[in-house]
Amino acid sequence: MTRGCKPKYVVRLTTEEREHLEGMIRTGRQAAYRLLKARILLKADVSSDGPGWEDARIAEALETSLSTVFRTRRQLVEEGLEATLARKVPASLSQPRIFDGQAEAKLIALACSEPPEEYTHWTLRLLEKRVVELGIVEQASDTTIQRTLKKNALKPHRNRYWVIPPKANAGFVAAMENVLDVYTRPHDQNRPLVCLDETSKQLTRETRTPIPMQPGREARHDYEYERAGVASLFMLFAPLEGWRHVEIRDRRTAIDYAHILRDLADLHFPYAEKIDLVQDNLNTHNPASLYEAFPPAQARRIAQRFEWHYTPKHGSWLNIAECELSVLARQCLARRIPDKTMLKAEVDAWTTNRNSQRAKTNWQFTTQDARTKLIRLYPQIE
């Protein structure tokens, strides 16, 4: 509607209506949208008591839009004063929910169940089709299903591989409590705690020159690469000392493991009376490997330098060296490294930096915590 045109919807208030609107404004105990509509109607009133302003003047004076003024006029004429002052409920709120409590529970159970044989996981489209086939709802969109799953923190398209320990396993808890007891021992320079773990790194070369990062654009690497072999990494980590050493080798055989232990005992901690060694149950992680690499007398001497502690099977998370390997992977190894020479240089630089900071691990999980939080792992004695 243009300025100066006669309004299509004419506001003509009765005396009682004007008094009601003026009372609302005077007390001010109303919602802002109700007070705005009351002021619009009073300014637009063409009765003998009203000023009869045009829409443009009302909009300017009340700092609102012409469309708001026009809609308020029309609603008064078509629906009356009470309907005009009431907040209109959106259609989306007035309609019943597609998934009520019962239907939502059935959808959640379906999403948590095994998908059809030909699918690896439930998709939104597949769930949309299946809820109708099963009669859970008459119809549903993938958007509605996505909102329902999101509200219940369900992500059928994702899964996570995890080391799941066995239930009620005496061997597991015995090894776990042994390791946890070692972790609570006070720091003793003559008896250092050292955790050992292994991993591998795939060496890869770039086939095209990467594009470096620039303001507003991330670095770019071509998706193609050239394989250049695999290197094995042995992590030795003394969490109470803030010391770690990473040995890089071509393989991780019993002979390699034996030489790692010899260097640990004779080079890194030559004056220690005993070394508490925590490691996992890999088949090479035992004193027998020493006898494969050294003469019996030397193998026996090295073996006696250690007190051997093993994390339980399916319990590698109890090895603190695994935590340090995770830091190494994130901070240093998460990139393409073309050869073992560069790998050794980068890992040595990372190790030197971490050792200079004396970065330690503050292990908090205790035997008492295990007996409370992991009670399902303990055999139940009648």
Side-chain angles (χ1 to χ4, degrees):
M1 183 174 59
T2 59
R3 181 186 295 271
C5 293
K6 184 177 180 180
K8 178 180 179 181
Y9 300 99
V10 178
V11 176
R12 184 174 281 104
L13 302 174
T14 64
T15 303
E16 292 77 9
E17 290 174 336
R18 285 193 62 86
E19 290 177 353
H20 175 64
L21 296 175
E22 290 171 349
M24 288 174 52
I25 297 173
R26 186 167 53 253
T27 59
R29 297 177 181 176
Q30 300 288 335
Y33 74 93
R34 287 171 60 89
L35 295 177
L36 175 61
K37 288 185 175 182
R39 291 188 173 94
I40 291 174
L41 294 177
L42 289 173
K43 297 296 185 184
D45 183 18
V46 296
S47 67
S48 58
D49 295 328
W53 284 7
E54 296 179 352
D55 288 5
R57 185 178 178 185
I58 297 173
E60 182 180 359
L62 299 181
E63 297 183 348
T64 188
S65 64
L66 283 170
S67 60
T68 300
V69 177
F70 174 77
R71 286 197 303 270
T72 305
R73 282 180 177 273
R74 182 179 61 185
Q75 194 172 12
L76 177 72
V77 173
E78 294 180 348
E79 303 178 30
L81 181 61
E82 290 302 322
T84 303
L85 296 177
R87 180 182 289 275
K88 188 175 181 180
V89 179
S92 60
L93 297 180
S94 61
Q95 296 176 353
R97 293 170 54 193
I98 296 178
F99 285 95
D100 57 15
Q102 185 176 5
E104 183 175 315
K106 292 181 179 179
L107 172 61
I108 293 171
L110 180 63
C112 293
S113 66
E114 289 292 327
E117 293 181 357
E118 64 272 23
Y119 289 89
T120 60
H121 61 271
W122 287 103
T123 65
L124 294 178
R125 294 293 177 85
L126 187 58
L127 287 170
E128 175 188 354
K129 179 181 178 182
R130 191 55 59 89
V131 293
V132 175
E133 291 176 349
L134 296 176
I136 297 176
V137 295
E138 294 183 1
Q139 61 179 1
S141 66
D142 54 355
T143 304
T144 303
I145 292 176
Q146 182 183 34
R147 285 200 303 267
T148 306
L149 295 179
K150 183 177 181 180
K151 182 178 71 172
N152 291 277
L154 289 175
K155 300 177 180 179
H157 63 287
R158 298 185 62 181
N159 59 55
R160 186 176 183 183
Y161 289 93
W162 195 256
V163 178
I164 302 175
K167 294 183 179 180
N169 187 287
F172 184 96
V173 298
M176 175 179 64
E177 292 201 355
N178 175 264
V179 171
L180 294 177
D181 178 68
V182 174
Y183 288 166
T184 57
R185 292 178 183 175
H187 180 218
D188 185 351
Q189 292 183 350
N190 295 320
R191 187 165 182 154
L193 164 65
V194 178
C195 301
L196 183 149
D197 200 6
E198 305 173 20
T199 190
S200 59
K201 171 64 178 175
Q202 173 72 58
L203 303 176
T204 55
R205 299 190 184 97
E206 299 282 4
T207 58
R208 292 176 177 83
T209 303
I211 301 175
M213 180 175 59
Q214 297 179 3
R217 189 177 70 178
E218 67 276 10
R220 299 182 181 183
H221 295 258
D222 195 90
Y223 70 93
E224 290 186 352
Y225 58 87
E226 180 182 348
R227 296 181 183 272
V230 179
S232 296
L233 291 81
F234 289 81
M235 168 66 74
L236 298 171
F237 181 41
L240 301 181
E241 312 286 342
W243 173 90
R244 75 273 299 134
H245 174 74
V246 181
E247 187 77 19
I248 299 174
R249 290 179 171 263
D250 294 326
R251 300 179 299 173
R252 43 179 178 174
T253 64
I255 305 298
D256 295 295
Y257 170 76
H259 282 85
I260 296 295
L261 290 193
R262 182 196 61 184
D263 292 345
L264 178 62
D266 296 344
L267 299 180
H268 302 305
F269 293 95
Y271 303 109
E273 298 174 359
K274 205 83 168 180
I275 299 173
D276 285 309
L277 180 65
V278 176
Q279 56 190 343
D280 59 25
N281 278 280
L282 197 63
N283 60 344
T284 58
H285 289 182
N286 55 68
S289 296
L290 296 172
Y291 287 85
E292 291 188 33
F294 307 114
Q298 185 180 7
R300 185 60 180 167
R301 177 187 63 81
I302 297 173
Q304 290 182 325
R305 294 288 310 283
F306 297 98
E307 182 174 305
W308 307 74
H309 305 277
Y310 294 97
T311 60
K313 293 182 179 179
H314 305 289
S316 60
W317 55 272
L318 286 162
N319 191 347
I320 297 180
E322 187 173 277
C323 302
E324 192 67 11
L325 273 179
S326 177
V327 179
L328 172 64
R330 293 195 310 271
Q331 295 183 351
C332 181
L333 302 181
R335 51 180 161 160
R336 292 177 181 174
I337 299 179
D339 51 56
K340 198 168 74 171
T341 301
M342 179 178 175
L343 176 64
K344 186 177 187 313
E346 296 293 337
V347 170
D348 286 348
W350 177 86
T351 303
T352 300
N353 180 56
R354 291 279 287 178
N355 285 340
S356 66
Q357 300 174 10
R358 296 184 62 82
K360 302 179 181 181
T361 296
N362 185 16
W363 185 268
Q364 297 290 328
F365 194 71
T366 64
T367 300
Q368 188 58 46
D369 294 329
R371 293 174 180 176
T372 302
K373 299 178 181 179
L374 302 180
I375 187 65
R376 69 185 185 280
L377 303 180
Y378 286 77
Q380 300 300 313
I381 301 175
E382 298 294 337

